[in-house]
Amino acid sequence: MSTTQSDRLRGLVEPLVAAKDLDLEEIEVSRAGRRGLLRIVVDSDEGVELDACAELSRAISEKLDETDAMGEGEYVLEVSSPGADRPLTEHRHYVRATGRLAKLQLAEGGELVARILAVDEDGLDMEVPGVKGRKPTARRVAFADIVKARVEIEFNRKDKKEEEA
């Protein structure tokens, strides 16, 4: 996708996304056989409901039909949320992942799997799980020390409502 097309699509789509109180996370244009594929990923602090994706898809489709931003050929439009295991790349991603387990690749080398307890402008306060009966330990990680980060999916963790009951 050319930068010009990307910028033009972002200019068309971003106001529609913002009107739904969502954040535009990604725009990707690719080919799927003879058709183009336009994938738009949105998110919010509360997550994204399926109905919101459907409404937004209709609004974006109408806007694209009014323009030639996707060219003359056929294309498929997908509007979705980022998914549970998406990379954490923006400050807001870390804030939304507070309370979740994350896997970090560190600039010094090595990996760290720990729970995000708090996020500020400089980095993360994390809890490293104890091993073999040991107590968890606290650790501070600066954003500058993080090469890559991703939420780890937990299948056996009780959610907050269960813990409070």
Side-chain angles (χ1 to χ4, degrees):
M1 171 171 69
S2 70
T3 304
T4 308
Q5 184 184 28
S6 175
D7 292 342
R8 186 162 182 216
L9 286 169
R10 184 169 289 280
L12 290 171
V13 170
E14 208 152 28
L16 300 172
V17 173
K20 301 281 186 197
D21 292 324
L22 299 171
D23 295 318
L24 179 60
E25 296 292 342
E26 183 180 342
I27 294 178
E28 177 187 334
V29 177
S30 59
R31 302 285 324 151
R34 295 186 320 211
R35 294 183 181 168
L37 173 63
L38 173 58
R39 181 173 290 124
I40 297 173
V41 180
V42 296
D43 201 5
S44 79
D45 290 343
E46 295 78 36
V48 182
E49 302 262 331
L50 185 59
D51 290 343
C53 285
E55 288 174 21
L56 184 58
S57 179
R58 285 190 288 275
I60 291 170
S61 181
E62 287 174 14
K63 189 67 156 180
L64 291 174
D65 287 347
E66 296 170 5
T67 71
D68 65 347
M70 286 300 294
E72 296 297 318
E74 294 180 21
Y75 68 92
V76 175
L77 171 64
E78 289 182 7
V79 177
S80 66
S81 63
D85 64 343
R86 72 112 177 275
L88 305 174
T89 57
E90 303 283 336
H91 185 270
R92 68 178 177 264
H93 299 163
Y94 290 96
V95 171
R96 290 174 184 158
T98 300
R100 309 267 320 260
L101 201 61
K103 183 177 189 177
L104 311 178
Q105 286 187 348
L106 303 175
E108 65 192 32
E111 293 181 339
L112 172 67
V113 177
R115 190 165 312 284
I116 300 172
L117 299 178
V119 181
D120 60 32
E121 295 304 314
D122 299 318
L124 311 171
D125 291 325
M126 304 189 79
E127 179 183 74
V128 181
V131 180
K132 296 184 182 178
R134 293 187 181 144
K135 290 185 178 182
T137 57
R139 179 156 177 194
R140 175 79 180 166
V141 179
F143 286 122
D145 296 335
I146 301 171
V147 175
K148 281 173 53 173
R150 182 178 299 276
V151 169
E152 287 285 282
I153 298 173
E154 298 178 84
F155 293 106
N156 58 354
R157 181 168 189 237
K158 295 179 183 175
D159 68 16
K160 291 177 186 174
K161 292 175 188 165
E162 287 181 43
E163 289 175 1
E164 292 170 0

